[in-house]
Amino acid sequence: MSLFRISSTKILELQKACPTASILLRGLSAEQTNLKSVLQEKIPREQEKIKEFRKKHGGTKVGEVTVDMMYGGMRGIKGLVWETSVLDPDEGIRFRGLSIPECQQQLPKAKGGEEPLPEGLFWLLVTGEIPTEAQVQAISKEWAQRAELPAHVVTMLNNMPSKLHPMSQFSAAVTALNSESTFAKAYSEGVHKSKYWEYVYEDSMNLIAKLPVIAATIYRNTYRDGKGIGAIDDNKDWSANYCTMLGFDDPKFTELMRLYLTIHSDHEGGNVSAHTTHLVGSALSDPYLSFAAGLNGLAGPLHGLANQEVLVWLEKLRKQVGDNFTEDQLKEFIWKTLKSGQVVPGYGHAVLRKTDPRYTCQREFALKHLPNDPLFKLVAAVYKVVPPILTELGKVKNPWPNVDSHSGVLLQYYGLKEMNYYTVMFGVSRALGVLAQLIWSRALGLPIERPKSLSTELLIKQVGK
Ligand code: AMX
């Protein structure tokens, strides 16, 4: 039954005439396992909805900008539209309205598994709907089939010096993949702008499919014997293939990676990696160039590199206090870090004001699978001691742990000990969120980003008036 042949104008008419039409349409898309076809139906409806909304409310104010906001990293300025997720300061992230526990409950899982498959999260981010198992399996298959790397990228990766940081290798390889961009080719051939999203979709699907191959090659070249990573298996999901290529075969590690790759995907639009990908994409740079730019931002120690920093910090702490530590010893180490002008990595956030639910779900994973691990015990003890100290400092707006505070200890437990590699895994996951949004940014025809800046001199003149 090909109900998907109904035109989008017909669907809009149907929705206006019948309030239950969206439920009906949801039913229709549940039968369709081709993500692009689902999008083809959704995009005109969303374009129309936004057009109507802007016609009525285009001039409505949504906030104000103060001088402090301008000097303070634009904190709190509502200046971006990001469809795939929204971050609440107290509650944490919601992916298309679903919290992390709801995603864990409702998204399809691998056979015998307990954690959500990132393929399902991607479907949710792109469509706003929870996928069926058949839809998730279709994505796994499609990504497996699109995974092959062009020869020049393999050669480039194999010639990277092993002392080059894995994140630099990663972003360089993603940049070089733009030789394959269907968007760049179509643009140079003069494609109509209404078709941009289709090419961005193709590039995004190809890029996501290839990321685990690139990431695993980097891992094996840098930390192992550099021998082949083996072939992608069409019958395995995206995370399982990634784990096999890395050289890990513990099913519990694969489950951890499914959770890890799901929860690191998206954190609304203003964070450095998401905003950078969006900004570069707005110049109509192709998805490879846009995402590589985002990766370079993720590689900063205040953003994604914090997961590496946390482990370096924990190792130093453990070396100093051992496994039978007292709270006073921990406090002393934390104060030493702060007094030497450094941040406590893994704590604090620009938007969140409570413990990050991505931290909590990783803590729950640890409580279930590695409750007696000494490093986990240290992480749990640090969780008790750091927040009161950061609160005492008086200036830290959020003394609670973020996602990066907990991911490394889990990876260490399963034997992935090379902490300089951790941000690469974050990057593989982050692609899901920022590329889902990039498809929508082009579908909605969002323009080149260009906010206004002022010099201090001009600002003083203007405010002094
Ligand atoms: N340790 C020590 N000081 C901290 C701190 C921490 N964990 N978090 C914030 N502060 C300090 C800031 O450095 C700033 O000091 P300053 O006025 O002397 O410059 C002051 O507290 C106010 O900062 P804020 O408004 O609370 O935070 P922010 O929005 O400016 O920065 C963040 C947010 C995440 C960069 C900051 O909390 C931090 O540096 N944390 C440690 C690094 C980290 O874990 N980053 C990962 C974040 C999650 C992610 O992106 N992956």
Side-chain angles (χ1 to χ4, degrees), residues 70-83:
M70 290 176 69
Y71 283 101
M74 297 194 280
R75 241 29 121 256
I77 297 179
K78 294 183 191 115
L80 281 169
V81 174
W82 195 263
E83 306 289 5

Side-chain angles (χ1 to χ4, degrees), residues 255-270:
E255 272 292 276
L256 170 66
M257 285 314 295
R258 290 178 182 128
L259 178 66
Y260 184 105
L261 296 172
T262 296
I263 63 172
H264 285 77
S265 59
D266 206 24
H267 220 224
E268 72 171 33

Side-chain angles (χ1 to χ4, degrees), residues 60-367:
T60 307
K61 284 189 183 156
V62 289
E64 56 179 26
V65 180
T66 63
V67 171
D68 270 349
M69 284 168 154
M70 290 176 69
Y71 283 101
M74 297 194 280
R75 241 29 121 256
I77 297 179
K78 294 183 191 115
L80 281 169
V81 174
W82 195 263
E83 306 289 5
T84 49
S85 67
V86 178
L87 180 59
D88 180 88
D90 294 319
E91 196 196 34
I93 194 68
R94 278 188 179 267
F95 302 118
R96 291 280 188 179
L98 292 190
S99 67
I100 285 178
E102 285 165 351
C103 284
Q104 283 176 290
Q105 218 177 19
Q106 296 178 37
L107 290 176
K109 295 154 186 65
K111 224 183 201 156
E114 292 181 347
E115 301 300 343
L117 286 162
E119 288 89 325
L121 194 268
F122 183 69
W123 186 289
L124 173 70
L125 293 176
V126 171
T127 67
E129 290 176 12
I130 296 167
T132 62
E133 290 202 2
Q135 287 168 332
V136 165
Q137 279 163 14
I139 297 281
S140 298
K141 196 151 249 78
E142 209 176 327
W143 285 353
Q145 285 162 355
R146 291 172 183 249
E148 200 180 332
L149 298 184
H152 72 277
V153 174
V154 177
T155 309
M156 181 178 167
L157 282 168
N158 290 342
N159 284 296
M160 297 269 189
S162 59
K163 67 172 189 215
L164 187 62
H165 193 281
M167 280 303 280
S168 310
Q169 298 189 40
F170 196 19
S171 90
V174 171
T175 298
L177 259 185
N178 104 308
S179 57
E180 311 307 294
S181 173
T182 64
F183 175 79
K185 182 167 181 286
Y187 188 86
S188 72
E189 288 165 1
V191 68
H192 191 276
K193 60 184 177 186
S194 63
K195 297 263 179 227
Y196 286 173
W197 78 263
E198 298 194 24
Y199 295 96
V200 169
Y201 173 88
E202 292 301 332
D203 281 357
S204 298
M205 291 290 276
N206 287 334
L207 175 53
I208 293 169
K210 294 175 199 315
L211 288 176
V213 188
I214 297 176
T217 307
I218 292 169
Y219 182 75
R220 295 183 72 104
N221 281 350
T222 312
Y223 304 112
R224 297 287 184 268
D225 56 9
K227 294 262 164 62
I229 55 169
I232 287 269
D233 182 346
D234 265 22
N235 296 311
K236 278 189 184 167
D237 60 86
W238 191 60
S239 317
N241 267 316
Y242 184 20
C243 293
T244 309
M245 289 186 290
L246 283 170
F248 288 73
D249 55 10
D250 181 343
K252 286 271 181 307
F253 178 73
T254 308
E255 272 292 276
L256 170 66
M257 285 314 295
R258 290 178 182 128
L259 178 66
Y260 184 105
L261 296 172
T262 296
I263 63 172
H264 285 77
S265 59
D266 206 24
H267 220 224
E268 72 171 33
N271 67 75
V272 171
S273 54
H275 189 188
T276 307
T277 307
H278 179 71
L279 169 68
V280 176
S282 83
L284 298 186
S285 307
D286 64 59
Y288 300 97
L289 298 179
S290 307
F291 180 59
L295 282 176
N296 287 335
L298 194 71
L302 295 188
H303 190 23
L305 201 79
N307 60 10
Q308 166 188 320
E309 299 289 291
V310 166
L311 249 291
V312 173
W313 185 81
L314 282 173
E315 274 207 342
K316 279 189 205 150
L317 170 60
R318 197 171 176 196
K319 205 166 160 196
Q320 186 165 315
V321 302
D323 287 338
N324 296 312
F325 47 82
T326 64
E327 264 192 30
D328 281 344
Q329 285 176 303
L330 298 185
K331 282 180 189 164
E332 192 192 321
F333 188 85
I334 293 156
W335 277 115
K336 204 170 91 191
T337 303
L338 293 170
K339 283 181 182 154
S340 62
Q342 294 163 41
V343 294
V344 176
Y347 281 77
H349 201 272
V351 179
L352 275 169
R353 293 296 174 257
K354 291 269 165 67
T355 296
D356 190 336
R358 300 172 299 175
Y359 175 94
T360 309
C361 83
Q362 294 183 95
R363 177 176 156 80
E364 278 161 11
F365 189 97
L367 285 168

Side-chain angles (χ1 to χ4, degrees), residues 318 323 366 369-380 406 408-410 412-414 417:
R318 197 171 176 196
D323 287 338
H369 299 290
L370 44 134
N372 299 317
D373 177 59
L375 194 58
F376 168 56
K377 286 188 172 164
L378 183 61
V379 167
H406 216 302
V409 61
L410 302 175
Q412 289 277 316
Y413 178 77
Y414 288 103
K417 307 241 180 220

